[in-house]
Amino acid sequence: MLDWLLQKLPPAYRSKARDYLVLTRMDRPIGALLLLWPTWWALWLAAADFPPVKLLAIFTLGVFSMRAAGCAINDFADRKLDPQVARTAGRPIAAGRVTPREALIVFASLLVFSFILVVFTNKLTIELSFAGAALAALYPFTKRYTHLPQVVLGAAFGWSIPMAFAAVSNTVPAVGWLLFIANIIWSVVYDTQYAMVDRDDDLKAGAKSTAILFGDADLPILGILMGTFLLAMLFVGQRATLGWPYWLSLLVAAGLFGWQMWRIQGRERDACLWAFRNNNWLGMALWIGIVLALAVR
């Protein structure tokens, strides 16, 4: 896909442009989608209907730009770690195709673009955006100092939730913060599944993660976190007075969690990666449930 998109560029620029796109994971949209669904949950709940088109466009573009910025700063932070991990050794900085300085320029440029988008909202959203940028910059460095970088990732990925409520209603109600907490829990679930893929390599390289922290208790803890997320989302549905389509989507989410747990019971790398990616469908199912529940009111 990237090669097709870049085929009209002059050959001299094509290779470098491809490296920048890979640096920002434009070839792997799953991370952006896992950030997009909670953002859309928040926009629809805040508006209690189809959200304003301007805000939908701003936040959708912001999701992709901030996720791309996060990937660039993540690879900068991991430039000495990535070459030691089989899955990440071919990344542009680790392989020497993009310099650390170039990665920082890409990160800064994407932050500026994202901030320009936020300028078209309101004062509260602009103020909240600074915390979001700080979380995005902080996350990649936490894996050196704590076994809970997934919690910081969840806060960074979920900060669009209070921002969306602020942009729509100029306030962040209790349901917005409840949704934010639920998203942190969900992020810990799917990023722990992702970290289980690299657990052996991370142990050798000295990186920290919840997958390492949980150890042999990873599956029971994941089950507890999944149940807690579903309970939090049940409370979200109650507070937002959502109807039967949402409750049906919550059952679908529970079923998908059960499928994930069944697939990863042997802790094989491919199964853990599949479970991580399967969360995209879970996020989409909950969004569809929210949209339909609001539509049939």
Side-chain angles (χ1 to χ4, degrees):
M1 177 61 74
L2 291 186
D3 292 333
W4 179 79
L5 291 172
L6 298 172
Q7 62 183 349
K8 293 186 178 180
L9 282 180
Y13 299 100
R14 196 175 301 161
S15 178
K16 181 59 74 172
R18 191 182 195 285
D19 288 335
Y20 286 156
L21 290 174
V22 172
L23 171 72
T24 54
R25 308 291 195 279
M26 291 301 179
D27 59 327
R28 298 181 181 181
I30 179 64
L33 292 173
L34 290 171
L35 175 56
L36 181 68
W37 299 124
T39 304
W40 281 9
W41 301 344
L43 284 171
W44 259 263
L45 288 172
D49 198 349
F50 196 97
V53 174
K54 184 183 84 168
L55 293 179
L56 181 60
I58 287 172
F59 276 87
T60 301
L61 286 173
V63 160
F64 285 91
S65 62
M66 282 304 297
R67 189 260 180 163
C71 291
I73 195 64
N74 180 78
D75 283 11
F76 171 81
D78 289 348
R79 62 192 182 280
K80 296 181 180 178
L81 175 64
D82 282 346
Q84 304 176 58
V85 179
R87 185 181 56 81
T88 59
R91 287 179 175 173
I93 298 179
R97 299 193 307 274
V98 171
T99 67
R101 180 176 179 273
E102 289 173 327
L104 287 178
I105 292 173
V106 170
F107 171 68
S109 300
L110 288 166
L111 278 188
V112 170
F113 174 74
S114 300
F115 183 72
I116 290 173
L117 290 173
V118 176
V119 166
F120 292 97
T121 58
N122 57 34
K123 181 181 178 182
L124 178 58
T125 310
I126 293 171
E127 292 172 348
L128 288 171
S129 72
F130 289 102
L135 286 168
L138 175 66
Y139 158 69
F141 300 94
T142 57
K143 64 189 73 174
R144 288 161 179 74
Y145 306 105
T146 175
H147 282 95
L148 299 172
Q150 281 71 25
V151 175
V152 182
L153 175 73
F157 264 31
W159 198 249
S160 59
I161 292 171
M163 287 181 62
F165 276 94
V168 172
S169 57
N170 203 32
T171 186
V172 185
V175 69
W177 292 115
L178 179 58
L179 189 64
F180 174 68
I181 293 170
N183 184 73
I184 291 177
I185 298 169
W186 184 42
S187 299
V188 173
V189 169
Y190 64 66
D191 206 51
T192 297
Q193 294 169 337
Y194 191 67
M196 289 168 70
V197 177
D198 297 328
R199 178 156 44 191
D200 293 339
D201 289 332
D202 284 345
L203 280 167
K204 295 175 184 176
K208 296 178 172 64
S209 71
T210 47
I212 294 172
L213 177 65
F214 296 162
D216 293 341
D218 50 4
L219 297 184
I221 293 174
L222 280 176
I224 292 170
L225 290 171
M226 289 173 176
T228 305
F229 168 73
L230 292 172
L231 182 61
M233 293 302 288
L234 183 148
F235 292 149
V236 167
Q238 287 180 329
R239 279 187 168 271
T241 62
L242 299 178
W244 66 266
Y246 178 74
W247 305 117
L248 182 60
S249 73
L250 208 57
L251 287 176
V252 172
L256 289 172
F257 273 152
W259 192 15
Q260 292 171 21
M261 290 296 287
W262 182 79
R263 286 287 301 270
I264 66 174
Q265 58 186 327
R267 298 178 176 86
E268 292 89 358
R269 289 191 175 197
D270 289 345
C272 292
L273 189 58
W274 173 89
F276 163 74
R277 291 171 174 163
N278 183 257
N279 283 281
N280 171 53
W281 302 108
L282 190 150
M284 182 176 67
L286 289 174
W287 172 71
I288 291 173
I290 291 170
V291 172
L292 293 179
L294 292 172
V296 299
R297 273 183 172 178

